[in-house]
Amino acid sequence: MESDIRINNAADISVIVIYFLVVLAVGLWAMYSTNRGTVGGFFLAGRSMVWWPIGASLFASNIGSGHFVGIAGTAAAGGIAIGGYEWNALIFVVVLGWLFVPIYIKAGVVTMPEYLRKRFGGKRIQIYLSVLSLILYIFTKISADIFSGAVFIQLAIGLNLYVAIIILLAITALYTITGGLAAVIYTDTLQTFIMVVGSFILMGFAFSEVGGYDAFMQKYMAAIPSNVSYGNVTIDPECYTPRPDSFHIFRDAVTGDLPWPGLIFGLSILALWYWCTDQVIVQRCLSGKNMSHVKAGCIMCGYLKLLPMFIIVMPGMISRILYTDVVACVVPEVCEKYCGAAVGCTNIAYPKMVVELMPDGLRGLMLSVMLASLMSSLTSIFNSASTLFTMDIYTKIRKHPSEKELMLAGRAFMVLLIGVSIAWVPVVQSAQSGQLFDYIQSVTSYLGPPIAAVFLLGIFCKRLNEQGAFWGLMVGLLAGLSRMIAEFAYGTGSCVSPSNCPYIICGIHYLYFALILFGASAIVMLAVSFMTKPIPDVHLYRLCWSLRNSKEERIDLDVDEEQDKADEKDDESVNEESQEEPGCFKKAYNWFCGLDQQKGPKLSKEEEEALKKKLTDTSEVPLWRNVVNINGIILLTVAVFCHAFFA
């Protein structure tokens, strides 16, 4: 840690303090003003969100501090192709809003595994997916975000890593545990605004420092570190010379670091998994007031996703120009001295610029940006993970929980999750920081594709049945795990000391592997489904694309379970009426957890039907439908144009 300019002046500190106060205020306001005493209110914000918080929250949950550290780092090492990752999302937010969400809403589900249960019946797929999602959250998203946020704080303030993490998690946990999804979405909106403004300012400083776009292109190609030999070993020039194709998104299909077929097709499968079937993202959309709001939110998120190329990727590359010896170091001892990782220091590209370039006050703003992105991703993940746990796993353990019990279970699980995340940090630290982001990408590309296949085929191919889906998932899991374990065992290696993993296992680029895995899982699913008997249409009304507009009554495959639940609820509501007035202390506790809202009058059967109809309604006003459709088309053209311009 070389930089001596720590954040120690009044301007910076006051900016950070004000920032935290504002976030807490927004969180508390959202807690106060929304209904969080019911499962629908706490986990789905009562289906009342309008489009702009949805769009902002989608963007904020997606861009964590992991992006700032990881994407800027990869860009410093290999050029703009990593921006193609961000732009791929432009297409998939449209797919999400127009194809997937209408089906999820019509199915009337809160979590993704719940949709699979309604679609295929049986419990094994639902439980498998819930557990896998939770594991993926802890191992990829949570740990990476915490780690990169901590790198930043260490560089800026010099706090001990664990102290920093615990403070962050405490603030985050406070309003996620008590406020539910509405609090998360509103604070996300605030944080998106701060993120975009702050990183724009940094981009301005960076470009003025380099001398404009053309100078940036020339200087990047010449950013070669001065120290390239140690002992009597001279490092291969390939390891420290910027790639000749640095300014192209599409790279050679065989030798490229992000080959173009992988970028177009392989990445699309990962994007399909992330944007269209991941609880964190879909839960934001399910909280929308109506379908037009959801679509508009998706479009807004798409436009925001145009930015990272300019506000994260390019500043990361500029950092290499300005601090060549630090960011692009190749000699293990030198790297160790600069940032404590022998593999390379590209990870500190973005934090280093913030600490060095920004004037007082703005540096504090940028630190709050990093904290904002970190906290917004964490809150989103905590809320979604606890939803998954409560609705899909907890209800299997306890057959007939009351609504109150579900709320408490969700909150208790968040506390547990936070504990696990803190315990996991040393592991992430030792997984050498240089490779952290390859790890995330590769872990998702080994475990994500089978899930993407299940959802895609489940929605668009009504012939797919439970046996097919289950065995496809299992085959995919085994194939993915075998590759993942082999890679962890051999290590990924770095350019200076490559790993000795046999080519047949690790030689296939992970994006290609994702494609192959997706194909294989899909083939197994279809083959097994066609060999076993189909699910009758009566169970599939409004769960598949081809039957999305049918008006008939659907008999859910899990109908007997649902019926038991309903009977139990009736008994329970009778018991609850006989309770006495709670004491003072109990009242405060109930208010804090949002459990005290008065129970409304018991709904009659007709009213329940009407409410259900409202919650599963996807109709739109023709005018707004046309407005969002036109915008969707514009967004897709913009996406194609951007890819073509930088190709």
Side-chain angles (χ1 to χ4, degrees):
M1 299 291 169
E2 292 292 286
S3 78
D4 294 320
I5 321 177
R6 292 272 160 75
I7 293 193
N8 52 10
N9 54 339
D12 285 341
I13 294 171
S14 50
V15 168
I16 294 174
V17 172
I18 291 170
Y19 162 73
F20 273 122
L21 290 177
V22 172
V23 168
L24 274 175
V26 170
L28 290 170
W29 168 78
M31 267 169 65
Y32 233 166
S33 61
T34 54
N35 169 16
R36 60 210 168 89
T38 61
V39 170
F42 184 74
F43 292 132
L44 284 185
R47 294 281 327 257
S48 60
M49 281 293 161
V50 284
W51 61 275
W52 52 271
I54 297 178
S57 180
L58 281 173
F59 180 71
S61 342
N62 168 247
I63 298 255
S65 51
H67 273 66
F68 280 104
V69 173
I71 288 191
T74 311
I80 67 169
I82 192 77
Y85 266 47
E86 298 302 296
W87 284 353
N88 200 287
L90 294 180
I91 295 156
F92 281 88
V93 287
V94 174
V95 173
L96 168 74
W98 269 258
L99 302 182
F100 283 81
V101 173
I103 301 274
Y104 296 145
I105 289 184
K106 283 179 174 156
V109 294
V110 179
T111 69
M112 295 298 92
E114 193 184 346
Y115 169 76
L116 289 185
R117 189 190 71 207
K118 278 187 169 12
R119 169 70 176 78
F120 297 118
K123 290 182 186 171
R124 50 187 188 173
I125 296 186
Q126 182 188 12
I127 289 180
Y128 164 74
L129 186 64
S130 314
V131 173
L132 186 69
S133 307
L134 289 178
I135 291 173
L136 275 176
Y137 286 158
I138 293 173
F139 284 87
T140 59
K141 297 187 179 153
I142 297 182
S143 47
D145 270 348
I146 289 183
F147 171 78
S148 42
V151 163
F152 215 88
I153 292 175
Q154 256 187 326
L155 200 70
I157 307 181
L159 267 181
N160 176 323
L161 198 68
Y162 290 98
V163 180
I165 287 170
I166 290 167
I167 294 174
L168 269 182
L169 286 178
I171 293 178
T172 311
L174 184 68
Y175 62 85
T176 318
I177 291 178
T178 52
L181 188 67
V184 173
I185 289 187
Y186 283 120
T187 45
D188 272 358
T189 310
L190 170 73
Q191 288 168 342
T192 303
F193 177 70
I194 295 179
M195 269 191 323
V196 171
V197 171
S199 35
F200 257 115
I201 296 173
L202 180 64
M203 180 181 82
F205 275 104
F207 271 112
S208 71
E209 189 75 18
V210 169
Y213 189 74
D214 296 326
F216 154 61
M217 290 176 78
Q218 282 163 353
K219 288 180 183 169
Y220 179 76
M221 286 312 198
I224 295 172
S226 50
N227 193 345
V228 292
S229 56
Y230 59 103
N232 48 7
V233 187
T234 304
I235 296 164
D236 177 19
E238 244 179 43
C239 292
Y240 55 81
T241 318
R243 301 179 58 91
D245 53 9
S246 288
F247 285 92
H248 301 287
I249 289 182
F250 295 135
R251 301 179 174 184
D252 190 283
V254 186
T255 58
D257 54 343
L258 287 175
W260 66 266
L263 199 69
I264 295 176
F265 303 112
L267 193 57
S268 297
I269 286 162
L270 300 187
L272 180 77
W273 170 75
Y274 182 79
W275 286 99
C276 305
T277 70
D278 189 333
Q279 182 67 26
V280 177
I281 297 294
V282 175
Q283 196 175 346
R284 300 282 164 289
C285 292
L286 293 181
S287 67
K289 227 178 197 161
N290 59 28
M291 219 37 238
S292 301
H293 277 290
V294 174
K295 289 180 179 175
C298 289
I299 291 171
M300 174 174 163
C301 175
Y303 283 127
L304 285 172
K305 288 291 279 179
L306 283 170
L307 301 176
M309 177 66 114
F310 307 104
I311 62 181
I312 301 178
V313 174
M314 289 179 177
M317 295 166 74
I318 293 177
S319 184
R320 175 172 178 150
I321 301 173
L322 301 179
Y323 315 111
T324 310
D325 287 348
V326 180
V327 175
C329 67
V330 275
V331 182
E333 286 92 73
V334 178
C335 293
E336 193 78 60
K337 187 185 101 194
Y338 282 128
C339 66
V343 197
C345 284
T346 51
N347 266 353
I348 65 168
Y350 202 86
K352 182 114 180 109
M353 278 182 88
V354 172
V355 177
E356 306 274 333
L357 271 189
M358 298 292 260
D360 291 352
L362 284 177
R363 200 179 305 121
L365 177 74
M366 277 314 289
L367 188 74
S368 353
V369 168
M370 297 302 300
L371 298 180
S373 64
L374 172 77
M375 284 166 56
S376 62
S377 300
L378 286 180
T379 47
S380 310
I381 292 165
F382 286 151
N383 188 285
S384 300
S386 77
T387 311
L388 274 180
F389 173 78
T390 314
M391 308 304 278
D392 291 327
I393 299 174
Y394 191 73
T395 47
K396 299 286 174 286
I397 307 169
R398 283 269 304 179
K399 272 292 172 280
H400 305 292
S402 66
E403 190 131 311
K404 197 169 193 170
E405 190 183 329
L406 282 181
M407 312 284 297
L408 286 174
R411 288 167 167 138
F413 181 70
M414 275 191 213
V415 176
L416 180 77
L417 199 64
I418 289 168
V420 172
S421 328
I422 294 179
W424 184 240
V425 170
V427 185
V428 183
Q429 244 183 321
S430 63
Q432 285 171 313
S433 24
Q435 302 161 358
L436 183 75
F437 287 90
D438 301 341
Y439 276 166
I440 293 179
Q441 247 9 77
S442 46
V443 168
T444 40
S445 47
Y446 305 150
L447 301 179
I451 302 177
V454 164
F455 276 94
L456 194 67
L457 292 173
I459 287 180
F460 293 107
C461 164
K462 69 177 190 185
R463 183 67 182 77
L464 191 67
N465 63 16
E466 204 266 349
Q467 292 88 346
F470 182 75
W471 291 112
L473 279 173
M474 287 301 123
V475 169
L477 177 71
L478 288 175
L481 274 180
S482 55
R483 160 91 191 238
M484 193 173 106
I485 291 167
E487 207 161 274
F488 274 121
Y490 282 107
T492 39
S494 64
C495 183
V496 183
S497 52
S499 75
N500 49 1
C501 178
Y503 183 80
I504 187 89
I505 302 178
C506 307
I508 306 172
H509 192 278
Y510 63 84
L511 291 175
Y512 287 150
F513 185 80
L515 253 181
I516 297 166
L517 187 58
F518 179 82
S521 312
I523 290 167
V524 172
M525 282 171 202
L526 291 173
V528 177
S529 292
F530 278 110
M531 286 190 273
T532 46
K533 60 181 199 293
I535 299 176
D537 272 9
V538 68
H539 298 310
L540 296 182
Y541 293 132
R542 296 182 301 286
L543 290 179
C544 295
W545 187 249
S546 53
L547 301 170
R548 67 187 184 281
N549 291 328
S550 58
K551 295 278 178 282
E552 293 90 353
E553 181 73 23
R554 175 175 74 227
I555 302 175
D556 278 335
L557 286 161
D558 52 5
V559 74
D560 43 336
E561 250 182 76
E562 298 286 324
Q563 197 45 53
D564 291 350
K565 269 190 204 161
D567 297 345
E568 278 288 317
K569 277 241 165 66
D570 291 346
D571 302 348
E572 174 199 303
S573 55
V574 176
N575 301 343
E576 281 193 356
E577 279 158 22
S578 58
Q579 289 173 354
E580 71 283 13
E581 181 65 18
C584 206
F585 184 71
K586 186 92 172 81
K587 265 187 183 155
Y589 162 78
N590 276 350
W591 173 83
F592 186 67
C593 290
L595 298 172
D596 66 332
Q597 271 111 348
Q598 291 306 310
K599 296 252 180 314
K602 191 102 181 72
L603 297 175
S604 65
K605 279 275 177 276
E606 295 79 52
E607 288 172 314
E608 268 194 1
E609 288 302 309
L611 184 70
K612 202 167 179 183
K613 207 175 160 78
K614 178 182 166 282
L615 287 182
T616 56
D617 172 42
T618 56
S619 56
E620 300 178 71
V621 183
L623 166 73
W624 290 116
R625 191 182 61 213
N626 294 337
V627 170
V628 287
N629 284 349
I630 291 166
N631 265 302
I633 294 165
I634 295 173
L635 182 63
L636 291 177
T637 25
V638 169
V640 173
F641 169 77
C642 286
H643 278 94
F645 185 76
F646 284 102

